[in-house]
Amino acid sequence: MKGIVDLDAAVGSSLFGGAFTFPVMAARRSALRHNIDTLAAFARDHGMLLVPHAKTTMSPELVAAQQEAGAWGFTVATPSQALILRSFGVQRILIANQVFDPAGLDALAAHLAEDPESELLCFADSVAGIETLSEHAGPRPFRVLVELGHTGGRAGCRTLADLLEVAAAAQAAPGVELAGVAGYEGTLDTADEVRAFLHRLLEALEHLRVARPILSVGGSQWFDLVGRELAACQATVMLRSGAYISHDDGIYRERTPYNRIGGELRPALEVWAHVLSVPEPGLVVAGLGKRDAPYDEGMPIPRGPLAGAEVVKLYDQHAVLRVAPETPVRPGDLVPFGISHPCTAFDKWRVIPVVDDDHVVVDLIHTCF
Amino acid sequence: MKGIVDLDAAVGSSLFGGAFTFPVMAARRSALRHNIDTLAAFARDHGMLLVPHAKTTMSPELVAAQQEAGAWGFTVATPSQALILRSFGVQRILIANQVFDPAGLDALAAHLAEDPESELLCFADSVAGIETLSEHAGPRPFRVLVELGHTGGRAGCRTLADLLEVAAAAQAAPGVELAGVAGYEGTLDTADEVRAFLHRLLEALEHLRVARPILSVGGSQWFDLVGRELAACQATVMLRSGAYISHDDGIYRERTPYNRIGGELRPALEVWAHVLSVPEPGLVVAGLGKRDAPYDEGMPIPRGPLAGAEVVKLYDQHAVLRVAPETPVRPGDLVPFGISHPCTAFDKWRVIPVVDDDHVVVDLIHTCF
């Protein structure tokens, strides 16, 4: 197993005690705990249901911890992820996409039929999407949130008229049940744009003829506005944040709503790697690469002795850093890196040691990508 | 399992027959076969040993196929990958890095001691690296290739004098045996630079006092020059190409040596995804994202009905494409994408269906990242 030489000895010893090879990504227990509790409290305090996006971690242990802290259910992006969550024992799943996948829909319809306690919601933004759901429905209907989008964004109806046409199709189609409205505000750039979009969602909701409607919104960047703008609405608001669970030292550190409202999330993930070479003064090659740390929303962030240095190039298995020439760094030094973007960090590791604040490994979490 | 709903029914049926969910990445058997045989023949014809970089796929089935086709051994980037290859049954391993990882070195030393048939080579570019190897050596020595680098590149001694100092340290250190010289030419931009670097490697080799030395060079972009320039040398030349096995429709299609020397490699990987939404004229949202296809050396390349369209943005689970407004594309269409950069494609999938040219699944390959 990547990063682990001795699985039996992994828990209970130091991360640096010989059971692990490097690079390895560790998750700090105290930060995970803090983040899980913090967002659970935020959702509760704002009268929202938390339906965390499980695609971030796809980890049975972390999903269980979020469920224990009060998550109503879990969001996923694909039918495949929904089936994996079913295998974790999750009963309430929201697929935050229009779904066309025939095998996935058939398997999900079978789960709905077999388990009367299970609930499944998915998005739709076209009559074609509703027709596909109708074709694959079993004895219990697929419940649908019609998706509102915005120009230049991702999926979602661009106009209220289009959305109401899809809603009418959902109400007319056998095997489909209209349950509410959904949108994703994470593709917007400013608070004003997000506020305007949330008001368009509320407007759409007013036009639906649905008893006890659901209104679902997204990400980890704007939940403060979501809480404020949607608090008074009559719908059941479902918040789909995912990245909050580990937070980060990059994009989310910059963009978290807690920068505006006070409070904090704590970065939980750290990749440890050896300095493999210092071949020129001021040039450091470290043993972590695209296989080990995310690079899509910023490079890994050196901490510890190399804090302040910059990763100037990331190869598959190497990071090249420029450091001040007088930096006391030698081949063989073990260096920690923070990460930017949790979603593309978790998916690089199948097993992640959970450490206490002294880097003693207290648990292992698994991912199922 | 991501991409598969029915593992039992997966082999023998069409990729589109209901055992698979989408997105899914498939590998074309005929292309894999062609590429494996083509590079095996290239190495043989040029009197080189092929030591394919297994970090590309980390797949036991593909490693076995390469071995059957005549690979002398396998290259890896980390001790962890070396241990995983040992678990595949591989006995000859070249770690193309200086190694400091204590747990990894101890485990590898134990394997060397237990299995007299096993061979292990690794790189070094510093006296500190040699000292670390010496500390962790068991009864059989770690065999070392001293690494030559180039200014602005990755690891490797920058001067012949430095390299000879490391070589002398290797010859003096107990538990370490000097075996030859190594370099990586894939970080160079032009044929002239590569030729000059290969000549520096030959020069370094002449200064080593080693019987039957090894000379190892890298990648999948310049093996034509490697073949030509190193054919007459007295060393055992080990070629570490990795990406050739699946080739691609992007960076390697552009850069393969076969563009210069005639012949070809064939792109083996294709990601299939549903169109999830067509929310605006000319805007298409497809159900594949950073979790499913590489994006570090170019975006996924639409084929089939969307050939010529461009992926303008890749999210975790979505691709946004701009297409000509008259393109006949509907939500629910299933579309294939070629990929750019095999190394960051394989590591996104744990199981990959192998298909024949009619998309009948003939096998499953596994990856162990």
Side-chain angles (χ1 to χ4, degrees):
Chain A
M1 186 72 68
K2 177 184 171 192
I4 306 188
V5 287
D6 188 348
L7 204 56
D8 293 332
V11 176
S13 65
S14 164
L15 185 65
F16 316 113
F20 296 89
T21 57
F22 296 87
V24 74
M25 185 170 84
R28 200 176 286 259
R29 178 175 56 178
S30 58
L32 291 173
R33 186 75 271 156
H34 170 85
N35 297 343
I36 289 171
D37 291 344
T38 298
L39 219 70
F42 181 89
R44 219 168 26 241
D45 292 349
H46 289 79
M48 300 189 282
L49 298 181
L50 187 58
V51 190
H53 214 316
K55 63 123 196 209
T56 300
T57 72
M58 290 304 289
S59 165
E61 296 90 351
L62 292 178
V63 161
Q66 288 170 301
Q67 196 145 35
E68 242 170 76
W72 174 83
F74 289 87
T75 303
V76 293
T78 66
S80 182
Q81 290 176 349
L83 295 170
I84 292 169
L85 256 68
R86 286 286 310 171
S87 80
F88 296 172
V90 172
Q91 289 187 300
R92 291 176 181 155
I93 295 173
L94 165 56
I95 303 180
N97 265 316
Q98 185 158 242
V99 183
F100 289 97
D101 188 71
L105 285 172
D106 290 342
L108 290 167
H111 278 300
L112 274 179
E114 285 159 18
D115 177 1
E117 301 289 302
S118 67
E119 297 193 39
L120 180 71
L121 291 159
C122 60
F123 290 6
D125 74 355
S126 69
V127 174
I130 299 295
E131 287 168 353
T132 301
L133 292 179
S134 186
E135 279 163 31
H136 291 274
R140 291 177 62 204
F142 288 121
R143 300 187 72 211
V144 164
L145 306 178
V146 283
E147 184 180 3
L148 185 72
H150 64 84
T151 306
R154 244 154 48 180
C157 298
R158 296 311 197 235
T159 67
L160 181 59
D162 284 353
L163 180 129
L164 294 176
E165 191 194 332
V166 178
Q171 287 181 306
V176 180
E177 187 180 302
L178 180 65
V181 175
Y184 179 58
E185 76 295 341
T187 41
L188 294 166
D189 293 325
T190 69
D192 282 346
E193 287 173 358
V194 172
R195 243 180 250 113
F197 182 64
L198 296 174
H199 291 164
R200 286 181 61 219
L201 283 170
L202 290 172
E203 186 197 358
L205 203 61
E206 277 171 26
H207 284 79
L208 292 196
R209 285 156 304 143
V210 177
R212 296 183 302 281
I214 291 166
L215 172 54
S216 174
V217 287
S220 294
Q221 296 180 38
W222 298 106
F223 54 73
D224 55 334
L225 297 186
V226 167
R228 201 175 310 147
E229 303 293 324
L230 304 185
C233 88
Q234 296 303 308
T236 299
V237 178
M238 293 189 179
L239 182 67
R240 305 193 306 270
S241 314
Y244 78 90
I245 190 166
S246 72
H247 196 54
D248 69 19
D249 286 297
I251 176 179
Y252 285 107
R253 178 185 213 110
E254 249 173 57
R255 299 190 191 171
T256 178
Y258 287 109
N259 292 341
R260 295 183 289 269
I261 58 176
E264 61 163 9
L265 295 173
R266 296 181 189 157
L269 300 178
E270 221 169 40
V271 181
W272 287 83
H274 284 103
V275 170
L276 299 185
S277 180
V278 186
E280 298 174 27
L283 190 74
V284 171
V285 180
L288 81 166
K290 294 175 184 172
R291 252 67 187 283
D292 311 303
Y295 50 93
D296 56 318
E297 299 279 4
M299 287 286 152
I301 298 120
R303 288 168 155 183
L306 293 186
E310 195 193 350
V311 173
V312 293
K313 175 94 181 156
L314 204 68
Y315 294 93
D316 291 348
Q317 311 275 167
H318 303 87
V320 177
L321 291 87
R322 285 278 169 201
V323 305
E326 69 277 11
T327 308
V329 55
R330 271 175 49 98
D333 289 354
L334 192 58
V335 180
F337 292 80
I339 63 101
S340 179
H341 197 188
C343 299
T344 46
F346 280 102
D347 65 5
K348 294 180 169 53
W349 297 91
R350 299 192 188 185
V351 178
I352 300 167
V354 179
V355 296
D356 69 14
D357 291 345
D358 298 318
H359 291 100
V360 173
V361 178
V362 293
D363 203 356
L364 299 175
I365 56 182
H366 300 79
T367 66
C368 297
F369 288 98
Chain B
M1 186 70 71
K2 177 185 170 193
I4 306 188
V5 287
D6 188 349
L7 205 56
D8 293 331
V11 176
S13 64
S14 165
L15 185 65
F16 315 113
F20 295 89
T21 57
F22 297 88
V24 74
M25 185 170 83
R28 200 177 286 258
R29 177 175 56 178
S30 58
L32 292 173
R33 187 75 269 158
H34 170 85
N35 298 343
I36 290 171
D37 291 343
T38 298
L39 219 70
F42 181 89
R44 218 166 28 239
D45 292 349
H46 289 79
M48 300 189 281
L49 298 180
L50 188 57
V51 189
H53 213 316
K55 63 122 196 208
T56 300
T57 72
M58 290 303 288
S59 165
E61 295 91 351
L62 293 177
V63 161
Q66 288 169 301
Q67 196 144 35
E68 242 171 76
W72 174 84
F74 289 87
T75 303
V76 294
T78 66
S80 182
Q81 291 176 349
L83 295 170
I84 292 169
L85 256 68
R86 287 287 309 173
S87 78
F88 296 171
V90 172
Q91 288 187 300
R92 293 175 179 155
I93 295 173
L94 165 57
I95 303 180
N97 266 318
Q98 185 159 241
V99 182
F100 289 96
D101 188 71
L105 285 172
D106 290 342
L108 291 167
H111 279 299
L112 275 179
E114 284 159 19
D115 176 3
E117 301 290 303
S118 67
E119 298 193 38
L120 180 72
L121 291 158
C122 60
F123 289 6
D125 74 356
S126 69
V127 174
I130 299 295
E131 288 169 352
T132 301
L133 292 179
S134 185
E135 279 163 32
H136 291 274
R140 293 177 62 205
F142 289 119
R143 302 186 71 211
V144 163
L145 306 178
V146 283
E147 184 180 5
L148 185 72
H150 64 85
T151 307
R154 243 154 48 182
C157 298
R158 297 310 197 236
T159 67
L160 181 60
D162 285 352
L163 180 130
L164 293 177
E165 191 195 332
V166 179
Q171 288 182 308
V176 179
E177 186 181 302
L178 180 64
V181 175
Y184 179 58
E185 75 295 340
T187 40
L188 294 166
D189 292 325
T190 68
D192 282 346
E193 287 173 0
V194 172
R195 243 181 250 111
F197 182 65
L198 296 174
H199 291 165
R200 287 182 60 219
L201 283 170
L202 290 172
E203 186 197 1
L205 204 60
E206 278 172 24
H207 285 80
L208 292 197
R209 286 155 304 142
V210 177
R212 296 183 304 282
I214 291 165
L215 172 54
S216 173
V217 286
S220 295
Q221 295 180 39
W222 298 106
F223 53 74
D224 55 334
L225 296 187
V226 166
R228 201 176 309 147
E229 303 294 322
L230 305 186
C233 87
Q234 296 303 308
T236 299
V237 179
M238 293 188 178
L239 182 66
R240 305 193 305 271
S241 313
Y244 78 90
I245 190 167
S246 72
H247 196 54
D248 70 17
D249 287 296
I251 175 180
Y252 285 106
R253 175 183 216 112
E254 248 172 58
R255 299 190 192 172
T256 177
Y258 287 109
N259 292 341
R260 295 183 290 269
I261 59 176
E264 61 162 8
L265 295 172
R266 297 181 188 157
L269 300 178
E270 220 168 42
V271 181
W272 287 83
H274 284 104
V275 170
L276 299 184
S277 179
V278 187
E280 297 175 28
L283 189 75
V284 171
V285 181
L288 81 167
K290 293 174 185 173
R291 254 64 188 285
D292 311 303
Y295 49 94
D296 56 316
E297 298 280 4
M299 288 286 151
I301 299 121
R303 288 167 156 185
L306 294 186
E310 197 194 346
V311 173
V312 292
K313 175 93 182 158
L314 204 67
Y315 294 93
D316 291 347
Q317 310 276 167
H318 304 87
V320 177
L321 292 87
R322 286 277 169 199
V323 304
E326 69 277 9
T327 308
V329 56
R330 272 173 50 96
D333 289 354
L334 193 57
V335 180
F337 292 80
I339 63 101
S340 180
H341 198 188
C343 299
T344 46
F346 280 102
D347 66 4
K348 293 180 170 54
W349 297 90
R350 299 192 187 184
V351 179
I352 300 167
V354 180
V355 297
D356 68 14
D357 292 346
D358 298 318
H359 292 100
V360 174
V361 178
V362 293
D363 204 356
L364 298 175
I365 56 182
H366 300 79
T367 67
C368 297
F369 288 98

